[in-house]
Amino acid sequence: AGIGGGAGFGGESEVGRTGECAGPAGQPISPVRIDGWRGGGPVIRLTLGGCGATIARSPLHSGRPSVTSKIRSVLIANRGEIAVRIIRTCREMGKRCVAVFSEADAGAPHAVLADEAHAIGLPAPRESYLRIDRLIEVARRAGCDAVHPGYGFLSENADFAEACRAAGLVFIGPSPESIRAIGHKLNARTLLKGSVPTVPGQFCDVGAAPDVGALECEFGFPFLIKAASGGGGRGMRVVRAAEEFARALSEARSEAG
């Protein structure tokens, strides 16, 4: 989309500027106005069908200096659909894309679409996409400035984020400290308590057996059991009746490891 014929944004001096939001073919869609400037990008007032909405344009595209302006080449430490999406975005931003692939993914779309692609190991993820040492080595060899983990695999791995930092690479994601702080659910709730609204709940120590009657009185059915560890939906069980509780608790603990 463009504003005022697709011109760029010049900074805070353009607050108050108006124009039209243009669609893919350049046709005007709706009037827009720059209401302010926040976080390195303009805050845009968009009117659709007489209803106004305010959005903040990403500083990645604002034309102002940012860490992204120093990034020229990105290693994508993932595969499949998410890697393809990252490649498309990098292309739009003028960034060079470096893909990695296991033996099973040679010739896969993400490896073909990238500017260059490197083999990193056997089909099993633990021998390829989860090998931090190989990913860092490829990033260095290919002259990358940054690493995008995508989702899954190493995207929530603090050691990977730390390895990128140690290698002088920008990790496109949270800091290692943030990943560690939020990775354990009990730590995350304690950290956020008082500053971010959280779902009501009760902590249960490992090996303890909560009183299901007390839980029913406090929360009612259904309620959710969630392991402190795990991820991607592992270690979660819905309890709809008292007789389901013991089994659900055991399964959640076992599944989360």
Side-chain angles (χ1 to χ4, degrees), residues 33 39 61 74 107 117 134 139 160 174 183-184 207 215 224 246-247:
R33 179 181 186 276
H61 304 280
V74 179
R134 292 180 186 172
F160 184 43
H184 191 278
L215 293 175
L224 180 74
R247 179 178 177 180

Side-chain angles (χ1 to χ4, degrees), residues 8-245:
F9 295 93
E12 288 93 331
S13 62
E14 297 204 16
V15 172
R17 175 180 165 188
T18 60
E20 290 180 323
C21 181
Q27 75 277 16
I29 295 177
S30 59
V32 295
R33 179 181 186 276
I34 302 177
D35 276 358
W37 199 274
R38 182 172 71 238
V43 178
I44 303 170
R45 181 74 177 176
L46 170 65
T47 304
L48 293 171
C51 299
T54 300
I55 59 175
R57 191 169 189 264
S58 168
L60 299 184
H61 304 280
S62 67
R64 302 185 119 209
S66 67
V67 67
T68 59
S69 65
K70 301 176 183 178
I71 296 173
R72 301 177 303 278
S73 183
V74 179
L75 175 82
I76 302 165
N78 217 299
R79 65 180 177 187
E81 178 258 354
I82 183 57
V84 170
R85 290 172 59 187
I86 295 167
I87 289 169
R88 288 174 177 165
T89 300
C90 286
R91 287 269 167 76
E92 290 177 3
M93 299 175 68
K95 311 299 182 184
R96 174 171 159 267
C97 307
V98 177
V100 293
F101 61 91
S102 70
E103 289 180 359
D105 294 323
H110 76 282
V112 174
L113 289 172
D115 295 296
E116 66 179 88
H118 296 258
I120 53 169
L122 299 173
R126 67 179 178 276
E127 295 297 334
S128 51
Y129 299 101
L130 297 177
R131 287 291 299 267
I132 293 175
D133 57 337
R134 292 180 186 172
L135 293 168
I136 297 297
E137 194 273 328
V138 169
R140 284 172 164 165
R141 190 169 70 238
C144 295
D145 310 295
V147 174
H148 197 311
Y151 56 68
F153 286 146
L154 295 170
S155 62
E156 297 180 45
N157 188 301
D159 292 338
F160 184 43
E162 205 158 54
C164 289
R165 177 191 286 175
L169 299 164
V170 175
F171 180 77
I172 303 176
S175 68
E177 294 78 16
S178 294
I179 294 173
R180 288 195 176 97
I182 300 299
H184 191 278
K185 308 305 182 295
L186 297 186
N187 291 345
R189 286 180 67 94
T190 301
L191 181 67
L192 299 175
K193 187 177 181 181
S195 59
V196 175
T198 56
V199 176
Q202 183 182 109
F203 297 152
C204 173
D205 293 332
V206 175
D211 181 351
V212 65
L215 293 175
E216 180 181 3
C217 290
E218 185 174 357
F219 305 116
F221 291 113
F223 59 77
L224 180 74
I225 296 175
K226 176 68 184 85
S229 301
R234 298 191 308 276
M236 297 175 66
R237 290 293 185 276
V238 176
V239 179
R240 295 181 174 85
E243 56 268 24
E244 299 177 6
F245 180 73

